[in-house]
Amino acid sequence: MLNDKLQRYLEEMVPERNDLLMEMESYAKEHKVPIMEIEGIEAMLQILRIKQPKTILEVGTAIGYSALRMVYECPQSRIVTLERDAERYEQAEMFIAKSGKADQILIIKGDALEKELEVKEHGLYDVIFIDAAKGQYKRFFELYSKYLNNEGLIITDNVLFKGLVFEEEIDNKRIRNMVRKINDFNQWLMTHEEYHTVILPIGDGVAISRKK
């Protein structure tokens, strides 16, 4: 949402990550694996540093990048994370094993919409992070918010979808449908009677929701 010069400035201000995380960032760029944008994840991590959650549920592991970022910043936490793509699941296992943090991160393989019982076994959760299929955000939220602690937070990435949420005309039908679903989710979330929500215009748009 920022202009290019300001975005580059902010990205350059972020301290370098450790060698493993830099390797993961390079892998994600080379193989076109979507990971959270740097300014978005830095904002999320600052919130987690303040909250210091003990239990985190992540919907959408990808290669395990955000899970590792979270566990590095919250060393007392345990993370349960869901990934349905077999190749990304294997990459996440490999990177997490290399990190030495495998005892703190449990990867559940399968569709997040079908793994509620396994997730429930490890709840309640202090933080739920949603970063998976954008068209299913509302279903993910409804399915797993019941396992959020009373003082918990739900963090949702990509809610501004590269700024397309405020474009009136989008030629590509698939993208137009995706934008409509994200807009519907944002409207639903911002008027949810059980949550206070703010959308931060950083990264690809990050929504922070807290129980009322």
Side-chain angles (χ1 to χ4, degrees):
M1 304 316 113
L2 306 173
N3 69 53
D4 291 342
K5 288 184 179 180
L6 180 55
Q7 184 167 332
R8 283 197 300 272
Y9 172 80
L10 292 174
E11 290 177 359
E12 289 169 0
M13 295 288 285
V14 176
E16 279 201 352
R17 280 67 65 202
N18 66 35
D19 289 345
L20 177 60
L21 293 173
M22 296 295 284
E23 177 187 348
M24 295 175 77
E25 290 174 20
S26 295
Y27 178 93
K29 184 176 182 179
E30 180 181 352
H31 294 86
K32 295 181 172 55
V33 178
I35 61 174
M36 199 173 183
E37 293 186 17
I38 193 67
E39 62 269 28
I41 200 166
E42 289 296 327
M44 180 179 76
L45 292 175
Q46 185 72 341
I47 292 169
L48 298 187
R49 292 183 193 108
I50 295 168
K51 187 167 182 59
Q52 285 298 314
K54 297 295 189 296
T55 52
I56 300 172
L57 171 64
E58 178 185 45
V59 182
T61 313
I63 58 172
Y65 179 78
S66 52
L68 283 175
R69 293 298 308 268
M70 290 189 287
V71 83
Y72 282 141
E73 297 301 330
C74 304
Q76 304 304 315
S77 66
R78 177 167 174 77
I79 298 176
V80 175
T81 182
L82 297 150
E83 179 56 50
R84 69 179 183 180
D85 184 272
E87 184 176 351
R88 290 180 183 174
Y89 172 86
E90 290 175 3
Q91 287 296 320
E93 277 197 318
M94 182 272 290
F95 282 124
I96 290 169
K98 287 178 67 173
S99 75
K101 299 291 185 181
D103 60 332
Q104 291 178 257
I105 302 174
L106 171 65
I107 313 175
I108 297 175
K109 183 179 180 181
D111 191 321
L113 296 174
E114 300 172 356
K115 293 295 178 178
E116 180 181 2
L117 293 180
E118 291 181 52
V119 168
K120 182 180 179 181
E121 291 177 6
H122 304 280
L124 299 170
Y125 299 91
D126 298 321
V127 170
I128 297 174
F129 174 45
I130 300 175
D131 189 18
K134 299 168 190 56
Q136 302 293 344
Y137 272 6
K138 182 179 178 182
R139 294 181 68 190
F140 293 146
F141 195 105
E142 290 177 321
L143 185 63
Y144 289 118
S145 59
K146 64 175 77 80
Y147 304 114
L148 184 70
N149 280 322
N150 286 334
E151 301 299 317
L153 299 175
I154 300 179
I155 301 172
T156 311
D157 192 25
N158 305 119
V159 296
L160 297 182
F161 199 50
K162 305 184 187 305
L164 293 175
V165 289
F166 48 77
E167 292 292 339
E168 294 182 359
E169 295 184 9
I170 300 172
D171 293 334
N172 185 291
K173 183 179 180 180
R174 184 185 66 82
I175 294 177
R176 185 168 65 247
N177 288 337
M178 181 65 68
V179 168
R180 177 183 55 79
K181 290 178 181 179
I182 294 173
N183 265 321
D184 288 346
F185 170 75
N186 289 344
Q187 293 289 335
W188 173 81
L189 184 59
M190 292 298 291
T191 57
H192 201 298
E193 62 182 12
E194 297 179 11
Y195 287 87
H196 293 294
T197 297
V198 62
I199 293 177
L200 305 180
I202 53 177
D204 200 26
V206 180
I208 313 293
S209 304
R210 186 182 186 277
K211 283 187 176 182
K212 292 182 179 179

